[in-house]
Amino acid sequence: MLNIAIIGCGVIAQYHLRAVAKLTTARVAAVCDVRTDVAQKTAAEFAIPRWTASAAELFADPSIDAVILALPANLRTALALEAFQHGKHVLTEKPVAMNAAEVRALIAAQNGRVGAVCSSRYHFFASARAARAFLRTGALGALRTLSCRGVNPAGPPFKNPPAWRLRKDLNGGGIFVNWGCYDLDYLLGLLDFKLTPQCALARTWQVGAPYTAYAAPGSDAETHVTALITFAEGCVLDYERAEFSTLPPDNRWQITGERGTLTLQMLKARTANVVLTEPDAEKGTRTRVIWEGDESALTSEHDGVAADFVEAILQKRAPQTSLQNALLFARIADAIYASSASGRPVNFD
């Protein structure tokens, strides 16, 4: 039975607490938050035997095997480094870190411990497993494009928008690190993270004047991003994400090769979720379903992350999204923000 400590007792911690509670191989042995009233209340609500305001106390405790860092990005890297130094396994919330340099520091400090990232949440659906298995057959041929367009138009204003969500100093960015980490983890993970980025051209925009009330005071990060990323393998990523906008809703993910296009639904779907469009000798093209089913009844996409983290520790294997995998996203994020700031293409090192 692994003993896990959860550091940070905000909203996202509740999902981790419920996910670990479903496992028979691990338990939450302690929760931690600098807000002692919140830590104590969380421990009582979830019947956790121990609470504390000191993360250092948990890192120094040999009975704690692993930690889940459920707090803003600007706080996580220092805590993860300290956890690794004390021999703990680490599951960090998304985005993986503030930038690629921090991810490289985490990788250097791992020392054989499991380092996992929560951006893997959408890999544990049956549809994603079916898509990955299909792609590994090479049936699409040489890859040409990876595409994602995720647009959520403005709804009613947020009553209390969280301060971290659109703050560069707290979260490393805005909508791209909030949702782009999922989009790219999904698409790149289906391809086993084997692409090598070459060049990025991107633009970002902050919240528009009609929707300023949707962002917390002091927000300076983007609510709309569009980017083009080229890869050494000969393919291109075409990407757009927007929220608090007048754009109509649109959520689609596609992978195109010389012999076909796979259209996917990363989110929970109720109908055909993985569809192949391929050449047809008589009609030109034909479409067939690779996987279909109703995933809307699944309890939570958080469950797979917790189970995978624990299994990776017990089985001494890499998690679905390791720090090494997540470095690819961090490098792309750095390039997107650099290109947007300069107005020019940015080459990868």
Side-chain angles (χ1 to χ4, degrees), residues 5-30:
I6 295 181
I7 300 175
C9 293
V11 173
I12 200 66
Q14 318 298 310
Y15 292 96
H16 291 298
L17 284 157
R18 287 190 284 269
V20 176
K22 297 174 184 177
L23 304 176
T24 60
T25 51
R27 65 169 187 160
V28 177

Side-chain angles (χ1 to χ4, degrees), residues 5-17 28 30-35 38-39 42 52-55 58 67-72 75-76 79 93:
I6 295 181
I7 300 175
C9 293
V11 173
I12 200 66
Q14 318 298 310
Y15 292 96
H16 291 298
L17 284 157
V28 177
V31 293
C32 174
D33 200 295
V34 293
R35 302 165 297 177
V38 174
T42 301
T52 179
S54 171
L58 298 176
V67 297
I68 298 176
L69 302 180
L71 63 176
L75 303 174
R76 292 199 303 266
L79 291 169
E93 260 301 331

Side-chain angles (χ1 to χ4, degrees), residues 36-291:
T36 55
D37 58 326
V38 174
Q40 189 172 12
K41 179 182 177 183
T42 301
E45 182 179 350
F46 288 90
I48 307 303
R50 177 182 176 189
W51 65 270
T52 179
S54 171
E57 173 189 321
L58 298 176
F59 296 149
D61 185 345
S63 72
I64 299 297
D65 301 298
V67 297
I68 298 176
L69 302 180
L71 63 176
N74 67 314
L75 303 174
R76 292 199 303 266
T77 294
L79 291 169
L81 289 171
E82 189 175 354
F84 282 140
Q85 289 166 4
H86 284 82
K88 311 302 183 190
H89 304 282
V90 176
L91 171 60
T92 183
E93 260 301 331
K94 58 82 185 175
V96 57
M98 296 286 281
N99 50 56
E102 288 190 357
V103 184
R104 290 188 175 99
L106 291 173
I107 292 170
Q110 264 186 275
N111 195 27
R113 298 295 173 175
V114 172
V117 187
C118 289
S119 52
S120 64
R121 285 190 175 107
Y122 295 96
H123 277 288
F124 301 102
F125 295 160
S127 57
R129 292 195 296 270
R132 188 183 302 112
F134 176 81
L135 288 163
R136 284 174 175 170
T137 68
L140 291 187
L143 294 182
R144 293 187 173 181
T145 61
L146 285 68
S147 302
C148 173
R149 192 164 192 264
V151 175
N152 296 308
F158 289 172
K159 292 184 178 179
N160 295 296
W164 59 266
R165 199 173 188 279
L166 293 172
R167 284 271 296 272
K168 295 176 183 177
D169 61 333
L170 299 181
N171 199 40
I175 187 65
F176 182 66
V177 292
N178 289 335
W179 269 99
C181 65
Y182 290 136
D183 296 323
L184 267 61
D185 193 300
Y186 181 70
L187 287 171
L188 297 171
L190 292 178
L191 299 168
D192 297 317
F193 298 98
K194 289 182 178 179
L195 295 180
T196 310
Q198 286 183 316
C199 182
L201 178 62
R203 288 290 186 274
T204 62
W205 298 269
Q206 295 180 29
V207 64
Y211 301 115
T212 53
Y214 289 60
S219 295
D220 62 353
E222 80 286 352
T223 58
H224 190 173
V225 55
T226 184
L228 195 70
I229 311 292
T230 63
F231 295 93
E233 291 75 10
C235 56
V236 173
L237 169 67
D238 175 21
Y239 185 81
E240 184 175 22
R241 262 282 172 190
E243 63 180 354
F244 313 151
S245 76
T246 56
L247 286 165
D250 191 6
N251 285 284
R252 51 190 165 88
W253 297 258
Q254 288 181 320
I255 299 176
T256 296
E258 63 179 346
R259 295 200 296 268
T261 293
L262 208 60
T263 300
L264 308 132
Q265 176 59 255
M266 181 181 79
L267 306 174
K268 297 175 183 177
R270 291 180 171 83
T271 56
N273 202 18
V274 182
V275 178
L276 175 67
T277 303
E278 59 188 345
D280 182 274
E282 297 180 357
K283 299 178 181 179
T285 61
R286 65 185 177 196
T287 298
R288 61 186 174 96
V289 174
I290 301 299
W291 186 93

